[in-house]
Structure formats: structure tokens, C-alpha cells
Amino acid sequence: MVKEKKKEGKPKKNDFKSFLKKRAPIYLALIAMLIVFVVPELTKGDLESSFPELTSEERQVLDLLMNYNGPNDFGLTVMDAITNKISEEYPDEKIFDHKKTIVDLAISKINGEEYNIILNFKSYKGELNYDWNVDKSLGKITSNNQDSKHIIDLVDFYD
């Protein structure tokens, strides 16, 4: 009977708490590795995430342009072609994370259903400038400079 009273007076040891205390450095190391290696990959910049906030109408026009994949509706898209061009210029670099990289996007209504889209990519090595007219009702895309024409030709004739 006396022994039972002593057991009741002593607080119960929390097994889970002691389990965590013994392994805390291991858990901290795993969390640190997750932050160092996984989070940057999840937040990796790309062209589309560099675009500014757009209205729904501007987003529709931009999607029409960026998702254009040629007259046969198959293959390389404009977004893929531009991304590939940037990757060729900056191999093995996370160029969108670089502090001197700027992506400017301007969408303006010309008349009726026709819009002008200007995309400028600026970095420490130089610039890539694209200028298109997009007719929203017809789905027609017209290039206004040589770089834009090259991208559209690449998409149109991609096998």
C-alpha cells in the first residue's frame, strides 16, 4: 500500500516528449535539408510566373498567343519556343531568379478584337524583344518584328 502511494505522487513520464527530445537534432536536420533543397525548386521562377497581374480579357488574349501551336494545332507552343530560346541563351542558369532579369509584358487594345502584345526579356547579357498583334475573334497572330516572326515560324514549321 505504501508503494502504491509513492507511484501516484510521482508524475508520469511522457514517452512522446522524451522520444522527440532524443531525436530533435535529426528532425531539425531533415527540416533544414527540406528548406535548402526542396523549397527553391518549388519556387523556381519561369517565364509565366514573371508576367504581371492581368485582367481576364488580357489573360485570354495572352493565352491565345502563348498556347498557339501552329496551323495543325500540334507540337511546340509559342510559350515553349520562347522558353527554349531563353534556355539556349542562358544554359545552366536560373535566369529568372537573377536580380538583373526583367520581364516586361504590355497588352493594349488596338481596335475591336485586335490587341498588341509586347514582351521584353531583359537580363545582364542583353534583351529579347517580341511584338505581336493578336486578333481575338479570328485567332490570327501577326508578327511585328524579326524575333517575333522567328518564334511564329518556329512554331508553324515544328515537326
Side-chain angles (χ1 to χ4, degrees), residues 134-147:
V134 177
D135 189 325
K136 187 177 169 186
S137 61
L138 300 175
K140 183 181 176 188
I141 298 170
T142 310
S143 304
N144 296 330
N145 68 6
Q146 203 56 32
D147 290 339

Side-chain angles (χ1 to χ4, degrees), residues 19-60:
F19 173 81
L20 285 178
K21 280 184 179 180
K22 289 179 185 177
R23 290 157 185 87
I26 295 169
Y27 294 128
L28 287 174
L30 289 173
I31 291 170
M33 287 176 52
L34 180 77
I35 290 171
V36 169
F37 295 109
V38 175
V39 171
E41 286 300 314
L42 294 176
T43 60
K44 185 165 61 170
D46 63 352
L47 182 62
E48 190 168 8
S49 66
S50 302
F51 293 157
E53 287 290 319
L54 301 170
T55 66
S56 63
E57 193 168 338
E58 290 173 337
R59 174 55 67 188
Q60 287 175 349

Side-chain angles (χ1 to χ4, degrees), residues 66-120:
M66 291 299 166
N67 293 325
Y68 174 73
N69 57 353
N72 60 359
D73 289 330
F74 180 75
L76 190 69
T77 64
V78 170
M79 177 69 84
D80 293 337
I82 295 171
T83 303
N84 291 345
K85 177 72 174 167
I86 293 170
S87 296
E88 288 172 10
E89 295 286 327
Y90 305 93
D92 303 324
E93 287 186 59
K94 293 182 179 179
I95 194 63
F96 293 102
D97 296 334
H98 196 277
K99 63 183 177 183
K100 291 189 177 182
T101 300
I102 299 171
V103 177
D104 288 328
L105 177 69
I107 301 174
S108 55
K109 193 170 192 170
I110 297 172
N111 58 38
E113 293 289 311
E114 192 170 356
Y115 293 81
N116 178 253
I117 299 177
I118 297 173
L119 175 65
N120 294 322

